[in-house]
Amino acid sequence: CNLKLKYKSEDSQMLAYADSTFNAVGNCHYGVLVILNGPVLWVSKCSNSQQTSSNEAEMTSCSEGARLVKSITNILHELDSYTGPVTMFTDNVGVRNCLLVGETPNRLGHMENRRLYAVQMAREGEINFEWISTKEQPADGLTKAVPLDQLNVLKQFCFTN
């Protein structure tokens, strides 16, 4: 099967998808997919810090995603080619609410500095955090082995025959 990256000119909103997987040992693998008329950036890597919960792992993916989105939008602003806010999707409602409200539950207090950058971006209108169901989350395929139907969600966002 020959696959090519898919770019389309009719949609010019930048979207980002952040997801993570967490295991009992505390390892976190996170994935971020950024799309602007097609895939611009995709990252799949292990966190360099020990995680204590799935919420912490999801916060890591959103924070890292916000940092990556900021670097892309800085370049695009310099080129006068993109000025709109970015919508970032996460499948963790608690983390999304934490980022929007700006309050950190005590159990995530040690992540405050990492989270504050993402909150600041949201308050300044640079990024909007939205919830997406796990079945529709394309970044899920960047974090772990997934069933074929979920892998096809990632394929639909990035590739064409």
PDB file of all heavy atoms in Angstrom, residues 11-49:
ATOM      1  N   ASP A  11      -9.123  23.911   4.514  1.00  0.00           N
ATOM      2  CA  ASP A  11      -9.232  24.038   5.966  1.00  0.00           C
ATOM      3  C   ASP A  11      -7.946  24.658   6.496  1.00  0.00           C
ATOM      4  O   ASP A  11      -6.887  24.087   6.371  1.00  0.00           O
ATOM      5  CB  ASP A  11      -9.461  22.655   6.585  1.00  0.00           C
ATOM      6  CG  ASP A  11      -9.668  22.725   8.081  1.00  0.00           C
ATOM      7  OD1 ASP A  11      -9.926  23.827   8.593  1.00  0.00           O
ATOM      8  OD2 ASP A  11      -9.570  21.677   8.735  1.00  0.00           O
ATOM      9  N   SER A  12      -8.048  25.837   7.088  1.00  0.00           N
ATOM     10  CA  SER A  12      -6.822  26.509   7.519  1.00  0.00           C
ATOM     11  C   SER A  12      -6.757  26.708   9.028  1.00  0.00           C
ATOM     12  O   SER A  12      -6.053  27.569   9.507  1.00  0.00           O
ATOM     13  CB  SER A  12      -6.679  27.846   6.808  1.00  0.00           C
ATOM     14  OG  SER A  12      -7.762  28.675   7.166  1.00  0.00           O
ATOM     15  N   GLN A  13      -7.509  25.930   9.804  1.00  0.00           N
ATOM     16  CA  GLN A  13      -7.416  26.021  11.248  1.00  0.00           C
ATOM     17  C   GLN A  13      -6.400  25.010  11.760  1.00  0.00           C
ATOM     18  O   GLN A  13      -6.409  23.849  11.348  1.00  0.00           O
ATOM     19  CB  GLN A  13      -8.764  25.761  11.916  1.00  0.00           C
ATOM     20  CG  GLN A  13      -8.681  25.915  13.421  1.00  0.00           C
ATOM     21  CD  GLN A  13      -9.973  25.575  14.122  1.00  0.00           C
ATOM     22  OE1 GLN A  13     -10.898  25.063  13.521  1.00  0.00           O
ATOM     23  NE2 GLN A  13     -10.023  25.856  15.403  1.00  0.00           N
ATOM     24  N   MET A  14      -5.520  25.452  12.628  1.00  0.00           N
ATOM     25  CA  MET A  14      -4.541  24.538  13.204  1.00  0.00           C
ATOM     26  C   MET A  14      -5.204  23.763  14.344  1.00  0.00           C
ATOM     27  O   MET A  14      -5.838  24.338  15.213  1.00  0.00           O
ATOM     28  CB  MET A  14      -3.316  25.273  13.729  1.00  0.00           C
ATOM     29  CG  MET A  14      -2.227  24.305  14.181  1.00  0.00           C
ATOM     30  SD  MET A  14      -0.748  25.107  14.832  1.00  0.00           S
ATOM     31  CE  MET A  14      -0.189  26.026  13.419  1.00  0.00           C
ATOM     32  N   LEU A  15      -5.054  22.451  14.298  1.00  0.00           N
ATOM     33  CA  LEU A  15      -5.586  21.564  15.327  1.00  0.00           C
ATOM     34  C   LEU A  15      -4.442  20.751  15.907  1.00  0.00           C
ATOM     35  O   LEU A  15      -3.508  20.388  15.194  1.00  0.00           O
ATOM     36  CB  LEU A  15      -6.629  20.613  14.728  1.00  0.00           C
ATOM     37  CG  LEU A  15      -7.811  21.257  14.026  1.00  0.00           C
ATOM     38  CD1 LEU A  15      -8.662  20.197  13.348  1.00  0.00           C
ATOM     39  CD2 LEU A  15      -8.644  22.067  15.005  1.00  0.00           C
ATOM     40  N   ALA A  16      -4.523  20.471  17.185  1.00  0.00           N
ATOM     41  CA  ALA A  16      -3.518  19.633  17.834  1.00  0.00           C
ATOM     42  C   ALA A  16      -4.245  18.559  18.640  1.00  0.00           C
ATOM     43  O   ALA A  16      -5.322  18.801  19.180  1.00  0.00           O
ATOM     44  CB  ALA A  16      -2.638  20.474  18.742  1.00  0.00           C
ATOM     45  N   TYR A  17      -3.658  17.399  18.701  1.00  0.00           N
ATOM     46  CA  TYR A  17      -4.214  16.272  19.439  1.00  0.00           C
ATOM     47  C   TYR A  17      -3.127  15.754  20.368  1.00  0.00           C
ATOM     48  O   TYR A  17      -2.024  15.452  19.916  1.00  0.00           O
ATOM     49  CB  TYR A  17      -4.664  15.167  18.472  1.00  0.00           C
ATOM     50  CG  TYR A  17      -5.732  15.631  17.523  1.00  0.00           C
ATOM     51  CD1 TYR A  17      -5.393  16.265  16.331  1.00  0.00           C
ATOM     52  CD2 TYR A  17      -7.073  15.474  17.825  1.00  0.00           C
ATOM     53  CE1 TYR A  17      -6.371  16.722  15.457  1.00  0.00           C
ATOM     54  CE2 TYR A  17      -8.058  15.928  16.961  1.00  0.00           C
ATOM     55  CZ  TYR A  17      -7.699  16.544  15.788  1.00  0.00           C
ATOM     56  OH  TYR A  17      -8.665  17.004  14.927  1.00  0.00           O
ATOM     57  N   ALA A  18      -3.426  15.675  21.665  1.00  0.00           N
ATOM     58  CA  ALA A  18      -2.439  15.221  22.653  1.00  0.00           C
ATOM     59  C   ALA A  18      -3.006  14.042  23.415  1.00  0.00           C
ATOM     60  O   ALA A  18      -4.161  14.064  23.850  1.00  0.00           O
ATOM     61  CB  ALA A  18      -2.095  16.356  23.605  1.00  0.00           C
ATOM     62  N   ASP A  19      -2.209  13.014  23.571  1.00  0.00           N
ATOM     63  CA  ASP A  19      -2.649  11.827  24.300  1.00  0.00           C
ATOM     64  C   ASP A  19      -1.446  11.186  24.969  1.00  0.00           C
ATOM     65  O   ASP A  19      -0.297  11.453  24.601  1.00  0.00           O
ATOM     66  CB  ASP A  19      -3.327  10.837  23.346  1.00  0.00           C
ATOM     67  CG  ASP A  19      -4.137   9.786  24.091  1.00  0.00           C
ATOM     68  OD1 ASP A  19      -4.628  10.081  25.197  1.00  0.00           O
ATOM     69  OD2 ASP A  19      -4.274   8.672  23.582  1.00  0.00           O
ATOM     70  N   SER A  20      -1.711  10.334  25.934  1.00  0.00           N
ATOM     71  CA  SER A  20      -0.629   9.624  26.606  1.00  0.00           C
ATOM     72  C   SER A  20      -1.120   8.262  27.066  1.00  0.00           C
ATOM     73  O   SER A  20      -2.306   7.985  27.089  1.00  0.00           O
ATOM     74  CB  SER A  20      -0.128  10.426  27.806  1.00  0.00           C
ATOM     75  OG  SER A  20      -1.133  10.466  28.793  1.00  0.00           O
ATOM     76  N   THR A  21      -0.172   7.444  27.417  1.00  0.00           N
ATOM     77  CA  THR A  21      -0.473   6.162  28.033  1.00  0.00           C
ATOM     78  C   THR A  21       0.384   6.066  29.284  1.00  0.00           C
ATOM     79  O   THR A  21       1.488   6.610  29.340  1.00  0.00           O
ATOM     80  CB  THR A  21      -0.223   4.993  27.067  1.00  0.00           C
ATOM     81  OG1 THR A  21      -0.717   3.801  27.643  1.00  0.00           O
ATOM     82  CG2 THR A  21       1.230   4.821  26.737  1.00  0.00           C
ATOM     83  N   PHE A  22      -0.136   5.436  30.306  1.00  0.00           N
ATOM     84  CA  PHE A  22       0.524   5.368  31.602  1.00  0.00           C
ATOM     85  C   PHE A  22       0.482   3.924  32.074  1.00  0.00           C
ATOM     86  O   PHE A  22      -0.519   3.242  31.901  1.00  0.00           O
ATOM     87  CB  PHE A  22      -0.233   6.286  32.584  1.00  0.00           C
ATOM     88  CG  PHE A  22       0.181   6.129  34.011  1.00  0.00           C
ATOM     89  CD1 PHE A  22       1.357   6.701  34.460  1.00  0.00           C
ATOM     90  CD2 PHE A  22      -0.598   5.429  34.909  1.00  0.00           C
ATOM     91  CE1 PHE A  22       1.742   6.568  35.780  1.00  0.00           C
ATOM     92  CE2 PHE A  22      -0.219   5.294  36.223  1.00  0.00           C
ATOM     93  CZ  PHE A  22       0.954   5.873  36.664  1.00  0.00           C
ATOM     94  N   ASN A  23       1.580   3.452  32.654  1.00  0.00           N
ATOM     95  CA  ASN A  23       1.552   2.096  33.205  1.00  0.00           C
ATOM     96  C   ASN A  23       1.875   2.121  34.687  1.00  0.00           C
ATOM     97  O   ASN A  23       2.273   3.132  35.245  1.00  0.00           O
ATOM     98  CB  ASN A  23       2.485   1.162  32.424  1.00  0.00           C
ATOM     99  CG  ASN A  23       3.941   1.536  32.551  1.00  0.00           C
ATOM    100  OD1 ASN A  23       4.345   2.154  33.523  1.00  0.00           O
ATOM    101  ND2 ASN A  23       4.735   1.162  31.564  1.00  0.00           N
ATOM    102  N   ALA A  24       1.713   0.986  35.334  1.00  0.00           N
ATOM    103  CA  ALA A  24       1.854   0.887  36.790  1.00  0.00           C
ATOM    104  C   ALA A  24       3.272   1.188  37.270  1.00  0.00           C
ATOM    105  O   ALA A  24       3.484   1.540  38.427  1.00  0.00           O
ATOM    106  CB  ALA A  24       1.427  -0.496  37.257  1.00  0.00           C
ATOM    107  N   VAL A  25       4.256   1.073  36.405  1.00  0.00           N
ATOM    108  CA  VAL A  25       5.641   1.345  36.780  1.00  0.00           C
ATOM    109  C   VAL A  25       5.901   2.852  36.811  1.00  0.00           C
ATOM    110  O   VAL A  25       6.876   3.323  37.371  1.00  0.00           O
ATOM    111  CB  VAL A  25       6.603   0.645  35.790  1.00  0.00           C
ATOM    112  CG1 VAL A  25       8.050   0.885  36.154  1.00  0.00           C
ATOM    113  CG2 VAL A  25       6.298  -0.829  35.719  1.00  0.00           C
ATOM    114  N   GLY A  26       5.017   3.646  36.223  1.00  0.00           N
ATOM    115  CA  GLY A  26       5.178   5.099  36.204  1.00  0.00           C
ATOM    116  C   GLY A  26       5.740   5.634  34.908  1.00  0.00           C
ATOM    117  O   GLY A  26       6.046   6.810  34.795  1.00  0.00           O
ATOM    118  N   ASN A  27       5.882   4.758  33.923  1.00  0.00           N
ATOM    119  CA  ASN A  27       6.369   5.206  32.627  1.00  0.00           C
ATOM    120  C   ASN A  27       5.231   5.855  31.854  1.00  0.00           C
ATOM    121  O   ASN A  27       4.099   5.401  31.899  1.00  0.00           O
ATOM    122  CB  ASN A  27       6.932   4.035  31.823  1.00  0.00           C
ATOM    123  CG  ASN A  27       8.143   3.433  32.497  1.00  0.00           C
ATOM    124  OD1 ASN A  27       8.897   4.126  33.151  1.00  0.00           O
ATOM    125  ND2 ASN A  27       8.310   2.137  32.342  1.00  0.00           N
ATOM    126  N   CYS A  28       5.538   6.908  31.141  1.00  0.00           N
ATOM    127  CA  CYS A  28       4.544   7.630  30.350  1.00  0.00           C
ATOM    128  C   CYS A  28       5.065   7.757  28.935  1.00  0.00           C
ATOM    129  O   CYS A  28       6.199   8.146  28.701  1.00  0.00           O
ATOM    130  CB  CYS A  28       4.321   9.015  30.958  1.00  0.00           C
ATOM    131  SG  CYS A  28       3.457  10.173  29.889  1.00  0.00           S
ATOM    132  N   HIS A  29       4.234   7.405  28.005  1.00  0.00           N
ATOM    133  CA  HIS A  29       4.536   7.589  26.586  1.00  0.00           C
ATOM    134  C   HIS A  29       3.483   8.559  26.073  1.00  0.00           C
ATOM    135  O   HIS A  29       2.302   8.327  26.260  1.00  0.00           O
ATOM    136  CB  HIS A  29       4.429   6.250  25.867  1.00  0.00           C
ATOM    137  CG  HIS A  29       5.066   6.257  24.529  1.00  0.00           C
ATOM    138  ND1 HIS A  29       5.835   5.235  24.081  1.00  0.00           N
ATOM    139  CD2 HIS A  29       5.064   7.161  23.530  1.00  0.00           C
ATOM    140  CE1 HIS A  29       6.274   5.488  22.869  1.00  0.00           C
ATOM    141  NE2 HIS A  29       5.805   6.670  22.515  1.00  0.00           N
ATOM    142  N   TYR A  30       3.900   9.660  25.470  1.00  0.00           N
ATOM    143  CA  TYR A  30       2.909  10.611  24.987  1.00  0.00           C
ATOM    144  C   TYR A  30       3.071  10.855  23.495  1.00  0.00           C
ATOM    145  O   TYR A  30       4.138  10.650  22.927  1.00  0.00           O
ATOM    146  CB  TYR A  30       2.955  11.935  25.764  1.00  0.00           C
ATOM    147  CG  TYR A  30       4.206  12.754  25.581  1.00  0.00           C
ATOM    148  CD1 TYR A  30       4.299  13.675  24.550  1.00  0.00           C
ATOM    149  CD2 TYR A  30       5.270  12.617  26.450  1.00  0.00           C
ATOM    150  CE1 TYR A  30       5.431  14.436  24.384  1.00  0.00           C
ATOM    151  CE2 TYR A  30       6.409  13.382  26.295  1.00  0.00           C
ATOM    152  CZ  TYR A  30       6.490  14.294  25.259  1.00  0.00           C
ATOM    153  OH  TYR A  30       7.610  15.049  25.099  1.00  0.00           O
ATOM    154  N   GLY A  31       1.978  11.272  22.891  1.00  0.00           N
ATOM    155  CA  GLY A  31       1.973  11.580  21.476  1.00  0.00           C
ATOM    156  C   GLY A  31       1.257  12.889  21.228  1.00  0.00           C
ATOM    157  O   GLY A  31       0.286  13.210  21.901  1.00  0.00           O
ATOM    158  N   VAL A  32       1.767  13.639  20.268  1.00  0.00           N
ATOM    159  CA  VAL A  32       1.160  14.910  19.870  1.00  0.00           C
ATOM    160  C   VAL A  32       1.122  14.935  18.347  1.00  0.00           C
ATOM    161  O   VAL A  32       2.096  14.596  17.690  1.00  0.00           O
ATOM    162  CB  VAL A  32       1.974  16.116  20.389  1.00  0.00           C
ATOM    163  CG1 VAL A  32       1.367  17.421  19.907  1.00  0.00           C
ATOM    164  CG2 VAL A  32       2.075  16.094  21.904  1.00  0.00           C
ATOM    165  N   LEU A  33      -0.016  15.307  17.808  1.00  0.00           N
ATOM    166  CA  LEU A  33      -0.195  15.439  16.370  1.00  0.00           C
ATOM    167  C   LEU A  33      -0.709  16.850  16.105  1.00  0.00           C
ATOM    168  O   LEU A  33      -1.694  17.268  16.696  1.00  0.00           O
ATOM    169  CB  LEU A  33      -1.200  14.401  15.871  1.00  0.00           C
ATOM    170  CG  LEU A  33      -1.664  14.500  14.431  1.00  0.00           C
ATOM    171  CD1 LEU A  33      -0.507  14.242  13.470  1.00  0.00           C
ATOM    172  CD2 LEU A  33      -2.788  13.514  14.171  1.00  0.00           C
ATOM    173  N   VAL A  34      -0.021  17.610  15.257  1.00  0.00           N
ATOM    174  CA  VAL A  34      -0.443  18.969  14.905  1.00  0.00           C
ATOM    175  C   VAL A  34      -0.779  18.983  13.420  1.00  0.00           C
ATOM    176  O   VAL A  34       0.004  18.526  12.588  1.00  0.00           O
ATOM    177  CB  VAL A  34       0.657  20.012  15.211  1.00  0.00           C
ATOM    178  CG1 VAL A  34       0.194  21.405  14.835  1.00  0.00           C
ATOM    179  CG2 VAL A  34       1.052  19.956  16.683  1.00  0.00           C
ATOM    180  N   ILE A  35      -1.958  19.509  13.119  1.00  0.00           N
ATOM    181  CA  ILE A  35      -2.459  19.510  11.739  1.00  0.00           C
ATOM    182  C   ILE A  35      -2.793  20.928  11.319  1.00  0.00           C
ATOM    183  O   ILE A  35      -3.462  21.663  12.036  1.00  0.00           O
ATOM    184  CB  ILE A  35      -3.715  18.623  11.619  1.00  0.00           C
ATOM    185  CG1 ILE A  35      -3.351  17.173  11.917  1.00  0.00           C
ATOM    186  CG2 ILE A  35      -4.358  18.767  10.260  1.00  0.00           C
ATOM    187  CD1 ILE A  35      -4.516  16.241  11.971  1.00  0.00           C
ATOM    188  N   LEU A  36      -2.301  21.339  10.174  1.00  0.00           N
ATOM    189  CA  LEU A  36      -2.679  22.598   9.521  1.00  0.00           C
ATOM    190  C   LEU A  36      -2.713  22.280   8.029  1.00  0.00           C
ATOM    191  O   LEU A  36      -1.677  22.224   7.381  1.00  0.00           O
ATOM    192  CB  LEU A  36      -1.682  23.718   9.820  1.00  0.00           C
ATOM    193  CG  LEU A  36      -1.951  25.057   9.123  1.00  0.00           C
ATOM    194  CD1 LEU A  36      -3.277  25.648   9.586  1.00  0.00           C
ATOM    195  CD2 LEU A  36      -0.821  26.025   9.366  1.00  0.00           C
ATOM    196  N   ASN A  37      -3.893  22.012   7.525  1.00  0.00           N
ATOM    197  CA  ASN A  37      -4.061  21.568   6.132  1.00  0.00           C
ATOM    198  C   ASN A  37      -3.345  20.238   5.882  1.00  0.00           C
ATOM    199  O   ASN A  37      -3.023  19.904   4.766  1.00  0.00           O
ATOM    200  CB  ASN A  37      -3.545  22.606   5.137  1.00  0.00           C
ATOM    201  CG  ASN A  37      -4.254  23.925   5.279  1.00  0.00           C
ATOM    202  OD1 ASN A  37      -5.403  23.966   5.694  1.00  0.00           O
ATOM    203  ND2 ASN A  37      -3.589  25.003   4.957  1.00  0.00           N
ATOM    204  N   GLY A  38      -3.056  19.522   6.915  1.00  0.00           N
ATOM    205  CA  GLY A  38      -2.343  18.247   6.851  1.00  0.00           C
ATOM    206  C   GLY A  38      -1.381  18.168   8.017  1.00  0.00           C
ATOM    207  O   GLY A  38      -1.227  19.125   8.776  1.00  0.00           O
ATOM    208  N   PRO A  39      -0.725  17.042   8.202  1.00  0.00           N
ATOM    209  CA  PRO A  39       0.170  16.893   9.355  1.00  0.00           C
ATOM    210  C   PRO A  39       1.383  17.816   9.252  1.00  0.00           C
ATOM    211  O   PRO A  39       2.059  17.851   8.239  1.00  0.00           O
ATOM    212  CB  PRO A  39       0.582  15.421   9.306  1.00  0.00           C
ATOM    213  CG  PRO A  39       0.322  14.987   7.901  1.00  0.00           C
ATOM    214  CD  PRO A  39      -0.770  15.847   7.372  1.00  0.00           C
ATOM    215  N   VAL A  40       1.610  18.598  10.305  1.00  0.00           N
ATOM    216  CA  VAL A  40       2.740  19.510  10.364  1.00  0.00           C
ATOM    217  C   VAL A  40       3.815  18.932  11.279  1.00  0.00           C
ATOM    218  O   VAL A  40       4.996  19.045  11.014  1.00  0.00           O
ATOM    219  CB  VAL A  40       2.294  20.891  10.892  1.00  0.00           C
ATOM    220  CG1 VAL A  40       3.480  21.819  11.092  1.00  0.00           C
ATOM    221  CG2 VAL A  40       1.271  21.511   9.970  1.00  0.00           C
ATOM    222  N   LEU A  41       3.376  18.308  12.352  1.00  0.00           N
ATOM    223  CA  LEU A  41       4.298  17.774  13.339  1.00  0.00           C
ATOM    224  C   LEU A  41       3.648  16.604  14.039  1.00  0.00           C
ATOM    225  O   LEU A  41       2.455  16.651  14.337  1.00  0.00           O
ATOM    226  CB  LEU A  41       4.620  18.869  14.375  1.00  0.00           C
ATOM    227  CG  LEU A  41       5.428  18.430  15.572  1.00  0.00           C
ATOM    228  CD1 LEU A  41       6.905  18.707  15.310  1.00  0.00           C
ATOM    229  CD2 LEU A  41       4.980  19.174  16.806  1.00  0.00           C
ATOM    230  N   TRP A  42       4.393  15.573  14.273  1.00  0.00           N
ATOM    231  CA  TRP A  42       3.913  14.472  15.095  1.00  0.00           C
ATOM    232  C   TRP A  42       5.067  13.986  15.945  1.00  0.00           C
ATOM    233  O   TRP A  42       6.202  13.913  15.500  1.00  0.00           O
ATOM    234  CB  TRP A  42       3.285  13.352  14.277  1.00  0.00           C
ATOM    235  CG  TRP A  42       4.143  12.816  13.183  1.00  0.00           C
ATOM    236  CD1 TRP A  42       4.970  11.726  13.219  1.00  0.00           C
ATOM    237  CD2 TRP A  42       4.269  13.343  11.859  1.00  0.00           C
ATOM    238  NE1 TRP A  42       5.600  11.555  12.028  1.00  0.00           N
ATOM    239  CE2 TRP A  42       5.186  12.534  11.160  1.00  0.00           C
ATOM    240  CE3 TRP A  42       3.710  14.442  11.206  1.00  0.00           C
ATOM    241  CZ2 TRP A  42       5.552  12.773   9.847  1.00  0.00           C
ATOM    242  CZ3 TRP A  42       4.076  14.677   9.890  1.00  0.00           C
ATOM    243  CH2 TRP A  42       4.979  13.843   9.227  1.00  0.00           C
ATOM    244  N   VAL A  43       4.768  13.736  17.197  1.00  0.00           N
ATOM    245  CA  VAL A  43       5.777  13.333  18.164  1.00  0.00           C
ATOM    246  C   VAL A  43       5.242  12.128  18.915  1.00  0.00           C
ATOM    247  O   VAL A  43       4.079  12.094  19.294  1.00  0.00           O
ATOM    248  CB  VAL A  43       6.051  14.476  19.173  1.00  0.00           C
ATOM    249  CG1 VAL A  43       6.986  14.019  20.272  1.00  0.00           C
ATOM    250  CG2 VAL A  43       6.592  15.694  18.476  1.00  0.00           C
ATOM    251  N   SER A  44       6.097  11.172  19.130  1.00  0.00           N
ATOM    252  CA  SER A  44       5.764  10.012  19.947  1.00  0.00           C
ATOM    253  C   SER A  44       7.005   9.679  20.755  1.00  0.00           C
ATOM    254  O   SER A  44       8.004   9.245  20.198  1.00  0.00           O
ATOM    255  CB  SER A  44       5.360   8.837  19.054  1.00  0.00           C
ATOM    256  OG  SER A  44       5.071   7.704  19.831  1.00  0.00           O
ATOM    257  N   LYS A  45       6.952   9.935  22.061  1.00  0.00           N
ATOM    258  CA  LYS A  45       8.148   9.687  22.858  1.00  0.00           C
ATOM    259  C   LYS A  45       7.812   9.416  24.313  1.00  0.00           C
ATOM    260  O   LYS A  45       6.703   9.708  24.762  1.00  0.00           O
ATOM    261  CB  LYS A  45       9.133  10.834  22.728  1.00  0.00           C
ATOM    262  CG  LYS A  45       8.657  12.165  23.235  1.00  0.00           C
ATOM    263  CD  LYS A  45       9.600  13.275  22.800  1.00  0.00           C
ATOM    264  CE  LYS A  45      10.311  13.901  23.949  1.00  0.00           C
ATOM    265  NZ  LYS A  45      11.179  15.002  23.558  1.00  0.00           N
ATOM    266  N   CYS A  46       8.793   8.904  25.021  1.00  0.00           N
ATOM    267  CA  CYS A  46       8.655   8.654  26.451  1.00  0.00           C
ATOM    268  C   CYS A  46       8.962   9.937  27.205  1.00  0.00           C
ATOM    269  O   CYS A  46       9.867  10.680  26.838  1.00  0.00           O
ATOM    270  CB  CYS A  46       9.611   7.566  26.905  1.00  0.00           C
ATOM    271  SG  CYS A  46       9.171   5.944  26.317  1.00  0.00           S
ATOM    272  N   SER A  47       8.208  10.175  28.255  1.00  0.00           N
ATOM    273  CA  SER A  47       8.476  11.325  29.103  1.00  0.00           C
ATOM    274  C   SER A  47       9.779  11.090  29.851  1.00  0.00           C
ATOM    275  O   SER A  47      10.106   9.971  30.207  1.00  0.00           O
ATOM    276  CB  SER A  47       7.322  11.505  30.091  1.00  0.00           C
ATOM    277  OG  SER A  47       7.621  12.505  31.019  1.00  0.00           O
ATOM    278  N   ASN A  48      10.499  12.159  30.109  1.00  0.00           N
ATOM    279  CA  ASN A  48      11.756  12.018  30.842  1.00  0.00           C
ATOM    280  C   ASN A  48      11.564  12.147  32.345  1.00  0.00           C
ATOM    281  O   ASN A  48      12.524  12.180  33.087  1.00  0.00           O
ATOM    282  CB  ASN A  48      12.794  13.028  30.347  1.00  0.00           C
ATOM    283  CG  ASN A  48      12.292  14.453  30.437  1.00  0.00           C
ATOM    284  OD1 ASN A  48      11.198  14.698  30.907  1.00  0.00           O
ATOM    285  ND2 ASN A  48      13.096  15.393  29.977  1.00  0.00           N
ATOM    286  N   SER A  49      10.326  12.231  32.798  1.00  0.00           N
ATOM    287  CA  SER A  49      10.057  12.282  34.236  1.00  0.00           C
ATOM    288  C   SER A  49       9.089  11.163  34.620  1.00  0.00           C
ATOM    289  O   SER A  49       8.281  10.721  33.814  1.00  0.00           O
ATOM    290  CB  SER A  49       9.470  13.643  34.625  1.00  0.00           C
ATOM    291  OG  SER A  49       8.244  13.863  33.969  1.00  0.00           O
TER     292      SER A  49
END
